[in-house]
Amino acid sequence: CVSLDLTGFFRYLALLATRAAGNSGKKLFLYFFLLSSILTVFTSNDIVILTMTPIICYCAQYADCDPIPFLIAQFFAANIWSVALYIGNPTNIIVAQAYGLTFLEYSRWMALPTVVTGCACLALLWVIFRKRIPERVKVPQIDPRDALKDRGGAIFGVVCFLVCLVLLSLSSWLDIEIWLIPVLVAAVMLTRDVVTHGILIIRKRKTVGEHFSALTSASVIKMMPWKVVPFIIGSFIMVEDLSSSGWISIFAGAISRISSGLLSATLGIGFLSSLAANLVNNQPMTILFTRILENPAFVASAEAKKAGMFALIMGSNFGANFTFMGALAGIMWTKILTDKGIHIPLKEFLKYGLLIMPLLIVIGALVLVVEMTIWS
């Protein structure tokens, strides 16, 4: 995804959406929400935050309009539609791997709740911001094709990404470890970057120092979220410490009291996990709750445990829309906005989260309950 971003592909899509909206502010709001949703489904919420936020800031500045409705819509869309696929958020992978869910099995259960809550989110955002979205905006006079820094690389990257998604979908039949597929595709992308840009550098006869700075592969490595690795390792250590101290069992016993039935387990764990994400961030929260649901002290029916697992996935994603601390995406988002001179007070962001997210958690929980009642 990072390599594909460096080709300008995501900026190209964003500018296409801007041009398609014409001078209609309402259409621009809708198109940015839809584009953020689609990109999140097939990439991840972090990628959408990193790529779409600067584009929206630029468009709002050029059009001389309030950027807040567009930015909130983008952020909320990224953290709702990330539930749909296994790869949408690292927290999805943590839960899916813990319960042995395949790529397709995961989507079978989570696709419908994502679609329903995503549509509900758009409707609620429209009601809240309808008076702040301008009727007419100025359209940036930029050819979307100018955003493509490497057209061949963009085509190559899209093909690789589609191959990766297909192989992930077929992994259970092909008997391939899921982690191996993205690693191999990433290696192919990185090799292509090194070879193509290496040839270009040699042709231009640049110095060794310029060699390295010009390589896209160096930029990819620099942009990788390396800080997540020690963060996740630290989270595992924290959870293991809580487990060895007996706290996991205490938490499991307490939560099982509100998880006796299918609906209570889905609603209870959905709300608890989304709120807990804002206390310790969503990744350590997901690891902690996964261990709680696996603990023998969590006494509930098989259906309730399964519902709790899916509710945890929703909570780990939805929780990011309450405060900036709910997920790493929120921290990155505020940093980008600060760099662009845009300030969204925590109180204002929390207001939108409290107006929208509790209702979406209830809607998502009800859809899950209906699914499990029909298909289980």
Side-chain angles (χ1 to χ4, degrees), residues 87 96 107 119 204 210 226 272 361 374:
I87 57 172
S107 296
C119 293
K204 291 184 177 181
E210 290 172 315
W226 297 113
L272 279 175
I361 292 171
I374 294 173

Side-chain angles (χ1 to χ4, degrees), residues 156 160-161 163-165 167-168 174-192:
F156 186 87
C160 282
F161 200 85
V163 168
C164 183
L165 286 176
L167 290 177
L168 284 169
L174 298 174
D175 197 25
I176 301 174
E177 290 285 347
I178 283 182
W179 66 266
L180 188 59
I181 295 169
V183 166
L184 291 175
V185 174
V188 170
M189 288 286 289
L190 192 61
T191 302
R192 188 263 172 196

Side-chain angles (χ1 to χ4, degrees), residues 186-245:
V188 170
M189 288 286 289
L190 192 61
T191 302
R192 188 263 172 196
D193 290 337
V194 171
V195 171
T196 55
H197 290 82
I199 292 172
L200 181 64
I201 291 165
I202 292 170
R203 285 177 179 172
K204 291 184 177 181
R205 297 182 179 179
K206 292 191 175 185
T207 64
V208 174
E210 290 172 315
H211 270 209
F212 187 75
S213 62
L215 283 175
T216 299
S217 54
S219 301
V220 172
I221 292 170
K222 185 179 179 180
M223 289 177 66
M224 287 288 288
W226 297 113
K227 292 180 181 179
V228 172
V229 177
F231 183 79
I232 293 293
I233 293 173
S235 301
F236 273 109
I237 293 172
M238 178 190 73
V239 172
E240 288 297 331
D241 184 58
L242 287 172
S243 182
S244 62
S245 303

Side-chain angles (χ1 to χ4, degrees), residues 105-332:
E105 188 179 6
Y106 174 95
S107 296
R108 174 199 167 196
W109 290 102
M110 301 312 299
L112 185 58
T114 304
V115 171
V116 175
T117 53
C119 293
C121 180
L122 176 59
L124 291 169
L125 286 168
W126 189 269
V127 170
I128 291 171
F129 289 119
R130 66 189 184 282
K131 293 182 180 179
R132 292 180 65 175
I133 302 170
E135 290 292 337
R136 294 282 179 262
V137 295
K138 291 187 291 184
V139 182
Q141 299 302 312
I142 298 176
D143 187 343
R145 290 174 295 183
D146 293 340
L148 288 174
K149 301 174 186 176
D150 180 3
R151 188 170 300 180
I155 295 171
F156 186 87
V158 169
V159 171
C160 282
F161 200 85
L162 291 174
V163 168
C164 183
L165 286 176
V166 171
L167 290 177
L168 284 169
S169 301
L170 299 175
S171 59
S172 57
W173 287 291
L174 298 174
D175 197 25
I176 301 174
E177 290 285 347
I178 283 182
W179 66 266
L180 188 59
I181 295 169
V183 166
L184 291 175
V185 174
V188 170
M189 288 286 289
L190 192 61
T191 302
R192 188 263 172 196
D193 290 337
V194 171
V195 171
T196 55
H197 290 82
I199 292 172
L200 181 64
I201 291 165
I202 292 170
R203 285 177 179 172
K204 291 184 177 181
R205 297 182 179 179
K206 292 191 175 185
T207 64
V208 174
E210 290 172 315
H211 270 209
F212 187 75
S213 62
L215 283 175
T216 299
S217 54
S219 301
V220 172
I221 292 170
K222 185 179 179 180
M223 289 177 66
M224 287 288 288
W226 297 113
K227 292 180 181 179
V228 172
V229 177
F231 183 79
I232 293 293
I233 293 173
S235 301
F236 273 109
I237 293 172
M238 178 190 73
V239 172
E240 288 297 331
D241 184 58
L242 287 172
S243 182
S244 62
S245 303
W247 281 103
I248 298 290
S249 298
I250 295 172
F251 293 150
I255 293 176
S256 66
R257 295 190 188 99
I258 61 168
S259 306
S260 56
L262 191 59
L263 181 60
S264 61
T266 312
L267 283 172
I269 294 173
F271 273 104
L272 279 175
S273 58
S274 61
L275 295 175
N278 292 279
L279 297 177
V280 293
N281 198 271
N282 65 343
Q283 293 194 27
M285 180 282 299
T286 304
I287 296 168
L288 177 63
F289 269 65
T290 300
R291 293 296 298 273
I292 288 172
L293 297 182
E294 290 180 321
N295 194 278
F298 182 75
V299 181
S301 66
E303 277 192 344
K305 287 183 178 180
K306 192 173 184 178
M309 170 187 67
F310 291 126
L312 171 57
I313 293 171
M314 285 199 306
S316 69
N317 288 268
F318 291 3
N321 289 341
F322 281 102
T323 72
F324 303 134
M325 297 302 295
L328 290 175
I331 299 170
M332 292 190 297

Side-chain angles (χ1 to χ4, degrees), residues 128 132 322 346-356:
I128 291 171
R132 292 180 65 175
F322 281 102
L346 175 59
K347 184 178 179 181
E348 182 180 2
F349 186 83
L350 179 62
K351 178 183 72 176
Y352 300 134
L354 291 176
L355 283 172
I356 293 172

